[in-house]
Every structure is written in structure tokens, then in C-alpha cells.
Amino acid sequence: QVQLVDSGGGLVQPGASLRLSCAASGRIFSIYNIGWYRQAPGKERELVAVSNNSDAIPYYVGSVKGRFTISRDKANNTLYLQMNSLKPEATDVYYCKIPLSLVSWGLGTQVTDSS
């Protein structure tokens, strides 16, 4: 009944900017925190940012602080990840997900180095 659909990936050059979107259904925004995760080639998937359903300050992993911004458009039930000064690997895959162990992963969206 509730689901998250991520999108917005594409081909980018190092230093460029890109905004990822995560569209929610149901009442996800009013109930759950939502995180953005990243998996680089040859590396384990990592949590990069979390948007809270409360007024708590968002979480960012140290490597993206000052470059990435997570935000919510509550009117449209959409979560965004604004990524600036990108340092892409050959292909990074980003996922939005409720950070609960029992929640399954979606398809993810690819951010690919075009250089």
C-alpha cells in the first residue's frame, strides 16, 4: 500500500549537481523517517542522509556534509536529495528507504560518471 519510488539519476561529470527524487505513497511522510543510501562499485551500501518525520536536524554522512541536502516536499509527498560537487564512481546507485530492517529495498537510481 505504501511505497517509495526513487528517480532522478543520470549521467554526470565530477563537480556537477543533480537532484534525486523519492516519491511516496500513503502517509509515509507523517509516519516514517526516510533515508538516502548509496552503493559505489566495489563498496558496501552506506547511509548518506536521513530526513526525519519530526523537526530533528537531518543526518548526513561525513563525506557529503556541505555538498548534499535532503529535504521534503510534504505537499507532494516527495523527498529530495540535492547533490552538489559530485564525486561519482563509475556507477553509484542511490536508494531511498525507510531505515527499518524489515523494509525491503527498491530498485534504486543510478548516478553514472560521464567523463
Side-chain angles (χ1 to χ4, degrees):
Q1 181 175 342
V2 296
Q3 61 181 8
L4 300 173
V5 180
D6 43 27
S7 62
L11 301 174
V12 297
Q13 296 183 352
S17 297
L18 192 67
R19 189 180 71 170
L20 305 181
S21 298
C22 177
S25 61
R27 299 176 59 194
I28 287 178
F29 280 8
S30 66
I31 299 173
Y32 301 106
N33 299 337
I34 306 175
W36 281 102
Y37 299 76
R38 176 180 64 195
Q39 187 166 30
K43 299 181 180 179
E44 295 186 359
R45 186 163 48 210
E46 65 174 341
L47 178 66
V48 300
V50 176
S51 175
N52 300 288
N53 64 344
S54 67
D55 293 330
I57 298 174
Y59 164 83
Y60 299 97
V61 70
S63 61
V64 309
K65 288 182 178 178
R67 299 190 297 115
F68 288 14
T69 302
I70 191 169
S71 62
R72 297 190 181 204
D73 182 347
K74 296 180 179 179
N76 295 297
N77 290 334
T78 302
L79 180 75
Y80 299 103
L81 183 67
Q82 177 66 46
M83 306 185 295
N84 299 325
S85 301
L86 279 167
K87 304 174 182 178
E89 299 288 342
T91 300
D92 296 324
V93 181
Y94 286 79
Y95 306 82
C96 62
K97 180 183 178 295
I98 296 171
L100 297 173
S101 61
L102 296 179
V103 178
S104 61
W105 295 95
L107 297 177
T109 185
Q110 293 186 335
V111 176
T112 302
D113 184 1
S114 65
S115 64

